[in-house]
C-alpha cells in the first residue's frame, strides 16, 4: 500500500481540487476500486464538498481534557490563576472560572489548588467519519471551531484509513493535507511514501513552499512540486522551477489558471469529471500520470 | 482599536486585504501590524518592513538536576503529555512533547527541576517606510506548537516614537490571522475589537467562513465580510451573510490584473490605486461599527 499526501504550505493553492481530480483519475485507471481517500485538513475539511459522499458512520472525537472548577469547593484563593501559563483562568464576579477554549489541559492548576476543587474533564472536540464516495471510501473529520488541532485527529483519520486499506487490500491512500508546517502537517506527512506540494507562483506561495518543503524533508518524505495557476505570474513559476532544480526537487508540472476549477467546485465535482477537456483538466491528467510513475518506481524521473 | 483579518479557508486574500488596509490606515493613523500566521507569515512580502530586531521565543522546558533527583516519579505522574519519564536511574525530558506548563517543576519534592528556554521560533520586528510598526512571529521548521509564539507576538510593543514626535491619528492594530479555525485563530482574535472576514464566493470559502464566524460569535466580537474574487463561484456566501446579519463591507472582483499584481508582491492599493477610497471607507465602517 502507498500513501500519497497532497500539501501546499500556503492555503488556497488548490490542494483539495487537485486531490479530488486525482481521486477521479485514479478511479479510472489501474487503481480503480483500489484507492481510499483521507481528508487530513480537519479544520477546513472540504473534500467532502466536492465528492458529496454518503455518510456511513460518524463518531465523537475527544481530544483531551480541560480543567473544571467546582464553585462549591473553591475558596477563591487565586492560586490556580497564578500558576496557569495559558491565561485560561480568570476571576469573574468574585468567582474563578476556566475558559475551556484557552485551557491547554496541563492540569497544573489541579495539583496547585489547596482545596482540591479542580478536576479534569474529557471533552469532545470534533467528530470522525467514514463515507462512501463515488471514487472510494473517504475518511474525514470535523474539528469544532476554536479547538486545538494537535494532530491527534489527523492521526486518527489516517490510522482509520490505513486500517481499512490494509483490510481491503487497497493499494493507494490519497491524503488531502492541511496548510502550514505545524502539528497537523507533521501528522499528515508521517508515514507517507510521497508528498506532492501544490504551490502557486506568487511571492507568498514561493515563500511558504520553501518552508513546507523543509518540513517534508525534515521527516524524510520524498517530495514533488506542481505549480497551480502557473500562467498568472510566469516569472514566479520560473523561479519556483529553478529553486526546485537547485534543491534536487522534481517540479513535475504546471496547471494553468482556469475558472473551470471554481465551477467544478460549485457543481460538487472533480474538475476532470466536470469538464474533461478544460485546460486545467488536461494538465491534471498529465500530472497524475507522472505522479503515478513516481509512486510506483520512487527513483524514476518522469519525463517533464 | 484592534482589527483581526481572518478567513477560514487559506488563500482567499486575507493578507492582501490586511496589508492594503494597513497602508491606507497609515496615511492618517498610527498603525501597528502583527502577522499572526506563524506557520506561513507573508505580510512582510507586501509591506517590506525593515526588520531590525529579532528575538528568540519558545517554551520553558524542564531540566533535571541529576544530583538532586531521587527518581521518585512524581514529575512523570503530574505531566499530562508524557513529556517527562523516569527510566531506572534516569529522568528523561522529551522537549518535543513538553507544553512548558511548569507543573513538574512545582511538584518535584526535591526541587530538582529548573527551566530552560527551548526556542520554537522568533519574533522579528521593525518599521515600514510608511511608519507602520510591524512584527511577525515565525515558527521554526519541525516545531509543532505555534500558539506560544503567538502569545509572545501579541505582547510585542514597538519602540515609542521619539520625544516631541507628533502623536496624531488613532492607534490601530491590524492582525493578520492564520488560516483554519482552530486554536491559533482563537488566540489571534482574543482581545480584539473587530473581525474582518475575507472569503471567496465558492463552497469551500463558505464552509470555512462559517467556522470562523462561529469563533467570532463565541468571543462576542462584531464581524464583517470582504468577498474577494467576486464573480467566480456562486451567490451562496452573500445569501449566508444576509441571513446571518453579517455586513458585506467590500467586494473585490476576480480580475486577472489584480491576481498578477498580488502574485508579484504588490499591495492591492498600490497596484490598483482606485481601491484606496474603497479601503478608506472600509476602515471607517469598521471603526464606526465598533464605536456604535
Ligand atoms: S486554586 Fe482552588 S481554591 Fe484557589 S481559586 Fe483556584 S480553584 Fe479556587
Ligand atoms: S489545566 Fe492547565 S491550562 Fe487548563 S486551566 Fe489548569 S493550569 Fe490552565
Ligand atoms: S519529581 Fe523531582 S525528584 Fe522526582 S523523579 Fe521527578 S525530578 Fe526526580
Ligand atoms: S513542563 Fe509540563 S508538559 Fe513539560 S514536562 Fe513538565 S509537566 Fe510535562
Amino acid at each position: 500500500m502507498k500513501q500519497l499526501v497532497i500539501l501546499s504550505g500556503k492555503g488556497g493553492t488548490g490542494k483539495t481540487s487537485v486531490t479530488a481530480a486525482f481521486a477521479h483519475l485514479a478511479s479510472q485507471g489501474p487503481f480503480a476500486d483500489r484507492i481510499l481517500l483521507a481528508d487530513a485538513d480537519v479544520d477546513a475539511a472540504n473534500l467532502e464538498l466536492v465528492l458529496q459522499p454518503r455518510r456511513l458512520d460518524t463518531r465523537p472525537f475527544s481530544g483531551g481534557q480541560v480543567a473544571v472548577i467546582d464553585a462549591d469547593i473553591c475558596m477563591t484563593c487565586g492560586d490556580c490563576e497564578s500558576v496557569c501559563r495559558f491565561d485560561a483562568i480568570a476571576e469573574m464576579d468574585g468567582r474563578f472560572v476556566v475558559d475551556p477554549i484557552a485551557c491547554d489541559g496541563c492540569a497544573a492548576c489541579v495539583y496547585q489548588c489547596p482545596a482540591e476543587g479542580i478536576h479534569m474533564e474529557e471533552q469532545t472536540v470534533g467528530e470522525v467519519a467514514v463515507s462512501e464516495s463515488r471514487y472510494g471510501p473517504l475518511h474525514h473529520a470535523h474539528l469544532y471551531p476554536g479547538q486545538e488541532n494537535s494532530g491527534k485527529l489527523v492521526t486518527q483519520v489516517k490510522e482509520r484509513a490505513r486500517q481499512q486499506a490494509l483490510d481491503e487490500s487497497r493499494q493507494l491512500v490519497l491524503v488531502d493535507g492541511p496548510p502550514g508546517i505545524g502539528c497537523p502537517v507533521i501528522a499528515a506527512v508521517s508515514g507517507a511514501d510521497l508528498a506532492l506540494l501544490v504551490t502557486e507562483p506568487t511571492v507568498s506561495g514561493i515563500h511558504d513552499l520553501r518552508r513546507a518543503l523543509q518540513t517534508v524533508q525534515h521527516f524524510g518524505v520524498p517530495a514533488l512540486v506542481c505549480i497551480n495557476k502557473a500562467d498568472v505570474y510566469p516569472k514566479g513559476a520560473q523561479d519556483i522551477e529553478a529553486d526546485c532544480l537547485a534543491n534536487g526537487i522534481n517540479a513535475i508540472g504546471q496547471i494553468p489558471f482556469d475558472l473551470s476549477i471554481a465551477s467544478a467546485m460549485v457543481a460538487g465535482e472533480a474538475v476532470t469529471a466536470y469538464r474533461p477537456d478544460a485546460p486545467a483538466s488536461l494538465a491534471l491528467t498529465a500530472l497524475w500520470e507522472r505522479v503515478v510513475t513516481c509512486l510506483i518506481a520512487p527513483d524514476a524521473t518522469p519525463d517533464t | 482599536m484592534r482589527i483581526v483579518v481572518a478567513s477560514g479557508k487559506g488563500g482567499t486574500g486575507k493578507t492582501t486585504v490586511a496589508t492594503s488596509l494597513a497602508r491606507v490606515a497609515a496615511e492618517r493613523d498610527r498603525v501597528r501590524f502583527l502577522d499572526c500566521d506563524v506557520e506561513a507569515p507573508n505580510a512582510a512580502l507586501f509591506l517590506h518592513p525593515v526588520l531590525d530586531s529579532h528575538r528568540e521565543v519558545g517554551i520553558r522546558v524542564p531540566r533535571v538536576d541529576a544530583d538532586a533527583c531521587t527518581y521518585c516519579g512524581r514529575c512523570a505522574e503530574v505531566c499530562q503529555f508524557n513529556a517527562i519519564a523516569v527510566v531506572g536511574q534516569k529522568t528523561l525530558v522529551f522537549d518535543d512533547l513538553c507544553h512548558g506548563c511548569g507543573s513538574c517543576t512545582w511538584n518535584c519534592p526535591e526541587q530538582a527541576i529548573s527551566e530552560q528556554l527551548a526556542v520554537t521560533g522568533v519574533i522579528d520586528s521593525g518599521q515600514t517606510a510608511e511608519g507602520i510598526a510591524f512584527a511577525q512571529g515565525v515558527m521554526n521548521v519541525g516545531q509543532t506548537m505555534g500558539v506560544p509564539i503567538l502569545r509572545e507576538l501579541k505582547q510585542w510593543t514597538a519602540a515609542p516614537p521619539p520625544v516631541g514626535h507628533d502623536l496624531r491619528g488613532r492607534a490601530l492594530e491590524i492582525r493578520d490571522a492564520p488560516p483554519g479555525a482552530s486554536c491559533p485563530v482563537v488566540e489571534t482574535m482574543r482581545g480584539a475589537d473587530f473581525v474582518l472576514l475575507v472569503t471567496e464566493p465558492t463552497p469551500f470559502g463558505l464552509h470555512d467562513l462559517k467556522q470562523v464566524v462561529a469563533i467570532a460569535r463565541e468571543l462576542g466580537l462584531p464581524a464583517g465580510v470582504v468577498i474577494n474574487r467576486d464573480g467566480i463561484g456562486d451567490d451562496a456566501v452573500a445569501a449566508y451573510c444576509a441571513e446571518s446579519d453579517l455586513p458585506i463591507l467590500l467586494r473585490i472582483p476576480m480580475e486577472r490584473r489584480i491576481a498578477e499584481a498580488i502574485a508579484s508582491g504588490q499591495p492591492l492599493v498600490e497596484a490598483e490605486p482606485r481601491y484606496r477610497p474603497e479601503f478608506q471607507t472600509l476602515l471607517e465602517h469598521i471603526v464606526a461599527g465598533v464605536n456604535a
Side-chain angles (χ1 to χ4, degrees):
Chain A
M1 183 199 53
K2 299 276 189 189
Q3 263 187 47
L4 170 67
V5 57
I6 322 278
L7 292 172
S8 69
K10 175 170 155 49
T13 58
K15 193 170 47 60
T16 302
S17 297
V18 170
T19 309
F22 281 4
H24 164 245
L25 295 167
S27 72
Q28 315 237 304
F31 287 114
D33 299 323
R34 284 151 76 195
I35 69 160
L36 194 142
L37 308 164
D39 189 347
D41 191 1
V42 297
D43 62 330
N46 289 338
L47 201 50
E48 186 178 16
L49 302 176
V50 212
L51 298 179
Q52 306 193 330
R54 190 168 58 86
R55 264 305 156 103
L56 300 176
D57 179 54
T58 306
R59 55 190 61 181
F61 175 77
S62 59
Q65 302 189 309
V66 289
V68 178
I69 295 175
D70 186 337
D72 294 336
I73 303 177
C74 173
M75 329 177 286
T76 64
C77 69
D79 283 2
C80 50
E81 183 186 8
S82 51
V83 297
C84 179
R85 289 188 179 168
F86 304 91
D87 299 330
I89 301 183
E91 193 182 344
M92 264 159 52
D93 308 323
R95 293 178 47 204
F96 284 84
V97 283
V98 177
D99 173 350
I101 300 185
C103 175
D104 185 64
C106 70
C109 55
V110 172
Y111 292 99
Q112 295 305 310
C113 173
E116 299 191 11
I118 311 180
H119 68 276
M120 302 301 289
E121 266 178 25
E122 197 63 43
Q123 51 159 13
T124 302
V125 299
E127 43 195 47
V128 273
V130 59
S131 301
E132 189 55 50
S133 83
R134 49 204 131 150
Y135 307 132
L138 168 67
H139 286 267
H140 49 139
H142 170 55
L143 187 76
Y144 296 151
Q147 294 299 338
E148 182 186 358
N149 192 350
S150 63
K152 284 185 204 150
L153 185 51
V154 172
T155 304
Q156 186 164 91
V157 168
K158 280 187 55 191
E159 193 38 51
R160 286 161 54 105
R162 206 179 72 92
Q163 201 51 52
Q164 188 180 0
L166 290 175
D167 290 348
E168 298 177 2
S169 312
R170 289 181 184 265
Q171 286 194 318
L172 177 64
V173 179
L174 269 181
V175 183
D176 186 9
I181 61 165
C183 254
V185 175
I186 293 169
V189 166
S190 86
D193 296 281
L194 187 66
L196 174 69
L197 288 105
V198 182
T199 185
E200 58 181 32
T202 61
V203 287
S204 311
I206 298 169
H207 175 256
D208 298 345
L209 173 67
R210 288 200 187 121
R211 283 166 59 83
L213 273 173
Q214 284 168 12
T215 307
V216 170
Q217 288 175 324
H218 186 90
F219 292 92
V221 174
L224 303 172
V225 167
C226 82
I227 307 171
N228 194 10
K229 306 172 203 164
D231 50 334
V232 168
Y233 185 43
K235 184 184 170 298
Q238 281 163 18
D239 288 350
I240 294 172
E241 290 189 335
D243 220 43
C244 286
L245 192 68
N247 290 292
I249 308 258
N250 216 331
I252 59 160
Q254 302 194 343
I255 305 165
F257 176 81
D258 186 345
L259 281 171
S260 310
I261 293 189
S263 324
M265 206 193 281
V266 172
E269 281 197 62
V271 67
T272 44
Y274 175 73
R275 218 171 267 162
D277 52 356
S281 299
L282 297 175
L284 280 160
T285 308
L287 190 65
W288 171 242
E289 278 164 19
R290 295 190 199 121
V291 171
V292 171
T293 317
C294 293
L295 260 181
I296 294 171
D299 298 328
T301 311
D303 188 14
T304 48
Chain B
M1 146 159 219
R2 304 183 172 101
I3 303 164
V4 170
V5 185
S7 70
K9 175 169 159 36
T12 57
K14 184 169 47 62
T15 302
T16 300
V17 169
T19 52
S20 282
L21 193 62
R23 284 285 291 263
V24 165
E27 291 170 11
R28 274 186 263 163
D29 299 310
R30 281 169 287 135
V31 180
R32 166 185 149 95
F33 192 101
L34 302 181
D35 191 342
C36 297
D37 189 358
V38 302
E39 293 185 37
N42 287 329
L45 300 171
F46 295 90
L47 291 177
H48 306 289
V50 177
L51 297 172
D52 48 14
S53 164
H54 308 275
R55 190 164 62 88
E56 288 189 322
V57 294
I59 55 172
R60 286 183 269 168
V61 296
R63 287 293 172 259
V64 179
D65 174 355
D67 295 332
C69 176
T70 58
Y71 315 108
C72 72
R74 178 66 178 160
C75 50
E77 191 186 305
V78 300
C79 179
Q80 303 291 300
F81 309 107
N82 303 316
I84 188 162
V86 180
V87 185
Q89 300 283 294
K90 241 190 163 134
T91 305
L92 304 171
V93 179
F94 304 99
D95 289 1
D96 288 351
L97 298 176
C98 177
H99 287 215
C101 69
S103 200
C104 53
T105 311
W106 297 315
N107 285 290
C108 171
E110 310 298 334
Q111 299 184 350
I113 303 181
S114 57
E115 294 183 339
Q116 198 180 51
L117 181 78
V119 175
T120 56
V122 54
I123 308 280
D124 304 320
S125 56
Q127 254 207 353
T128 73
E130 300 79 26
I132 300 171
F134 182 99
Q136 63 180 11
V138 184
M139 183 166 96
N140 291 348
V141 166
Q143 286 297 327
T144 53
M145 277 170 279
V147 173
I149 302 170
L150 198 42
R151 279 203 200 96
E152 294 271 355
L153 176 65
K154 283 167 66 183
Q155 277 165 19
W156 170 74
T157 39
V163 184
H165 189 91
D166 172 25
L167 277 184
R168 67 205 171 90
R170 303 162 289 197
L172 294 177
E173 177 175 299
I174 297 173
R175 299 181 188 163
D176 191 1
S182 59
C183 66
V185 177
V186 180
E187 189 57 44
T188 305
M189 288 190 195
R190 223 175 241 279
D193 302 295
F194 188 89
V195 181
L196 186 62
L197 300 155
V198 184
T199 190
E200 59 176 39
T202 62
F204 291 2
L206 175 60
H207 174 268
D208 301 347
L209 171 68
K210 288 180 183 169
Q211 309 295 311
V212 224
V213 169
I215 299 177
R217 296 252 147 107
E218 168 95 31
L219 295 174
L221 296 176
V225 173
V226 174
I227 298 185
N228 192 16
R229 304 200 189 100
D230 198 21
I232 67 169
D234 57 10
D235 295 330
V237 167
Y240 164 76
C241 290
E243 79 202 27
S244 320
D245 274 331
L246 278 170
I248 297 175
L249 301 174
L250 178 65
R251 287 173 186 267
I252 304 169
M254 173 66 222
E255 274 174 36
R256 209 176 158 109
R257 270 220 328 247
I258 298 180
E260 286 169 5
I262 291 166
S264 67
Q266 272 184 290
L268 173 61
V269 288
E270 193 180 292
E272 301 283 327
R274 66 195 154 105
Y275 278 99
R276 284 194 35 228
E278 307 234 17
F279 273 87
Q280 261 146 8
T281 313
L282 172 65
L283 179 65
E284 294 318 316
H285 267 134
I286 295 172
V287 173
V290 170
N291 294 336

